[in-house]
């Protein structure tokens, strides 16, 4: 099959949602019209219920532990893979994901510092089922991330975290980007036009290369 699974990663405000939209339009322009987009956590009825808990936490008398958060994130991801991503890929659709497994490694591993044995076990399971063909990591500083999201009316649990938390998440992302396969790191402090142009150029080259391999 020539259809692909592409994911976009980065700190809050890095431009992921905007880039998912632009990649979809670009693929459409290239004649690839069967495209499904996802946003994690969420994307199935069960995953959307978990999204609310993951983003806004539990009640005051039952705060969510970081291991529970991790397990909910992976529950949501398994639901999404099984009920949305895999069926779409097997029908020949392209899938563009706003966040995937690197997010958990960066936020829960780097940011929260959860038990790495548990995180790796979950991550290995997910990535053995499905690893992206291409991952764009949009790199911005924690300061820029905060400045892009500061005017939001309601901030979620992650958006209320400190600069130090975001610095840990970013440094984990950068390490993963240098170690993992298929990751392209882009300086997303540049204008949206520049970031998009880099992505389109890369996609053109990558599409030609993958077609030659078929
Ligand atoms: N989370 C986790 O901890 N572990 C996991 O495994 C997963 C998730 C999957 C989901 O939140 C939260 O879940 C997330 C981590 C955690 N943390 N938080 N918060 P979400 O889905 O609500 O939000 P998000 O994923 O962080 O995305 P976002 O905040 O919406 O940002 P974005 O999608 O990267 O950016 P955007 O919406 O495209 O752009 C934001 C603004 O910046 C907008 O006004 C743009 O016009 C502007 N922008 C974007 N790029 C540029 C450039 N290049 N120049 C100038 N302005 C720009």
């Amino acid at each position: 099959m020539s259809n692909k699974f592409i994911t976009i990663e980065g700190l809050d405000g890095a431009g992921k949602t905007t880039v998912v939209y632009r990649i979809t339009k670009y693929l459409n322009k290239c004649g690839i019209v069967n495209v499904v987009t996802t946003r994690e956590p969420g994307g199935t009825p069960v995953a959307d219920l978990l999204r609310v808990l993951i983003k806004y936490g539990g009640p005051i008398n039952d705060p969510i532990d970081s291991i529970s958060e991790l397990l909910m994130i992976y529950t949501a991801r398994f639901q999404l893979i099984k009920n949305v991503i895999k069926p779409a890929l097997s029908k020949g659709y392209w899938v563009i994901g706003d966040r995937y497994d690197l997010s958990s490694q960066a936020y829960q591993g780097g940011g929260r510092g959860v038990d790495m044995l548990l995180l790796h076990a979950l991550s290995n399971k997910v990535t053995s089922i499905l690893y992206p063909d291409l991952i764009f990591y949009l790199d911005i500083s924690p300061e820029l991330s905060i400045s892009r999201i500061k005017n939001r009316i309601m901030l979620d649990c992650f958006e209320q975290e400190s600069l130090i938390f975001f610095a840990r998440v970013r440094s984990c992302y950068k390490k993963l980007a240098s170690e993992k396969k298929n990751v392209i790191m882009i300086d997303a402090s540049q204008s949206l036009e520049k970031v998009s142009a880099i992505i389109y150029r890369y996609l053109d080259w990558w599409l030609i290369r993958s077609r030659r391999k078929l």
Side-chain angles (χ1 to χ4, degrees):
M1 282 232 198
S2 59
N3 56 317
K4 305 283 183 201
F5 176 40
I6 301 175
T7 62
I8 320 298
E9 293 282 356
L11 290 182
D12 317 51
K16 297 177 297 299
T17 310
T18 315
V19 161
V20 166
Y21 177 78
R22 289 189 177 200
I23 289 180
T24 305
K25 291 274 152 230
Y26 192 73
L27 290 176
N28 291 166
K29 239 176 63 190
C30 297
I32 298 165
V33 290
N34 293 332
V35 182
V36 167
T37 62
T38 62
R39 175 194 63 171
E40 288 200 38
T44 76
V46 169
D48 285 338
L49 286 172
L50 292 170
R51 177 180 171 87
V52 178
L53 280 172
I54 294 162
K55 273 178 64 90
Y56 299 104
I60 290 176
N61 63 354
D62 191 14
I64 292 175
D65 177 77
S66 57
I67 297 227
S68 310
E69 177 186 87
L70 178 75
L71 294 173
M72 287 195 289
I73 286 170
Y74 274 94
T75 304
R77 183 165 302 133
F78 281 114
Q79 290 297 111
L80 183 70
I81 293 171
K82 179 149 193 298
N83 297 332
V84 176
I85 303 180
K86 280 275 193 180
L89 289 172
S90 62
K91 279 189 213 138
Y93 281 71
W94 286 58
V95 178
I96 318 296
D98 186 337
R99 294 193 180 280
Y100 190 61
D101 202 65
L102 286 196
S103 284
S104 311
Q105 300 194 45
Y107 281 79
Q108 279 60 52
R112 299 261 194 257
V114 294
D115 176 355
M116 292 311 272
L117 272 178
L118 177 61
L119 176 57
H120 284 152
L122 291 164
S123 172
N124 288 342
K125 181 70 192 165
V126 156
T127 51
S128 70
I129 298 173
L130 186 63
Y131 189 84
D133 296 295
L134 186 59
I135 302 168
F136 287 112
Y137 162 56
L138 307 180
D139 182 55
I140 56 169
S141 68
E143 291 81 0
L144 185 55
S145 165
I146 287 171
S147 84
R148 284 191 189 160
I149 61 178
K150 68 173 188 267
N151 292 330
R152 290 184 181 167
I153 298 165
M154 198 171 151
L155 294 181
D156 65 32
C157 304
F158 296 95
E159 289 162 341
Q160 292 173 39
E161 284 289 351
S162 63
L163 263 182
I164 296 165
F165 175 86
F166 287 115
R168 285 200 302 268
V169 176
R170 183 198 197 188
S171 113
C172 188
Y173 258 136
K174 287 176 97 165
K175 186 165 177 287
L176 292 164
S178 68
E179 290 171 357
K180 298 278 174 188
K181 61 177 178 136
N182 304 351
V183 185
I184 306 301
M185 179 161 92
I186 293 171
D187 172 4
S189 66
Q190 307 175 83
S191 72
L192 258 174
E193 295 324 309
K194 278 197 181 146
V195 170
S196 309
I198 294 169
I199 290 178
Y200 300 154
R201 250 201 331 271
Y202 191 84
L203 276 176
D204 282 342
W205 171 82
W206 183 73
L207 285 170
I208 292 167
R209 211 172 126 252
S210 2
R211 275 179 188 145
R212 273 200 203 124
K213 277 191 189 161
L214 284 178

